[in-house]
Amino acid sequence: MSSSLTRRTFAVCAVVAALSSAATLLATPAQAADATRIGILIPGSKSDKGWMESGYDGLVAAQKAHGDKIKVQMIENINYADMEQALTNLASKNQLVIGVGGQTQAAVMKIAKRFPKTKFSIVGGNKGDSLPNVAGYDVKQAEIAFVAGAAAAMLSKNGAVSYVGGMEIPSIVNAGKEFGKGAAYINPKIKYVENYTGDFDDVAKSKEATLAAIAQGADVHYHILNLGLRGMEQAAKEKGTKIIGSYTDRCGSDPLYVAYSITGVGYQVEYAIKEVVSGSWKAGYKPFGLAMGAKASDMLICGGTAAQKTKLEEIKKDILSGKIKVLEG
């Protein structure tokens, strides 16, 4: 065996070993023999206080709801380069595979062609190429980001707000644009600072971006980050500013957070599992967002005034009616 072939073999073995250690079987003690097999890929950390944790919360809720009717295999914390191998692992053993995050979409579409009898659901999936065994659920982050921007403008004392996104892809950029537009809707003179780190999990870059925004006067920050959120938290604590959290309502758990946008990541995980268990799962693109109700999309100011709540409700209604038009994403 040549040295180059040996290196490649070791590399493949290392990936397989990593996937084996990352994979977790989550099952109830009395597992039904005919249980529906669910595979779920959570690319980041299930305790990131963001998108990934919301997805995991949805999985836990689905397990409570369905009990021994489902058997779950989860893989988390996978590098982008290992995503296809992780999905192959899940697709070979399960009836439904869920990719938590739009960053799984390209790999899901590739692997789904190899496993036509396996169903795939993408939480955060966008419009694009379609396959008869793939469902894409759009959380419509840009839509709720507009409302979050309005909330930020209401809460800002300095008249300046900021946004930090991870990867500079259309859905994340569109959310940033709408956050800025929402802030300006409330205060046309507001200063808006927008930054991207290129990585959802880079703590140092997120902290640097937040500190740069604070230096320009921003005192309320919004984000689409995973573990990178830790950097935003560090900067806000050091400088005495505040954060609008994403994905899940955790009001009262941390005084650093003054509001939360709900983007229903966990709700979509629950939806996918419920659909496949009931036999009503369908392929294709499905938008969620405000039209699907408060579990799918909402905006909460922690301890908000009646006037603030009324204004946010008015904005949500105007988005739904088309009076306020927002970008896709």
Side-chain angles (χ1 to χ4, degrees), residues 28 31 35-36 38 62-63 66-72 273 277:
T28 56
Q31 191 68 62
T36 301
I38 311 291
Q63 286 188 291
H66 300 290
D68 63 0
K69 292 181 181 179
I70 64 174
K71 181 178 181 180
V72 176
I273 293 172
V277 169

Side-chain angles (χ1 to χ4, degrees), residues 6 15 24 29-30 38 52 55 72 78 97 100-101 115 120 126 154 190 194 196 214 219 240 265 296 329:
T6 301
V15 171
T24 304
I38 311 291
M52 302 299 162
V72 176
I78 288 295
V97 174
V100 181
F115 293 89
F120 294 81
N126 297 315
M154 294 178 193
I190 200 154
E194 181 177 313
Y196 298 89
I214 293 170
D219 61 351
V265 175

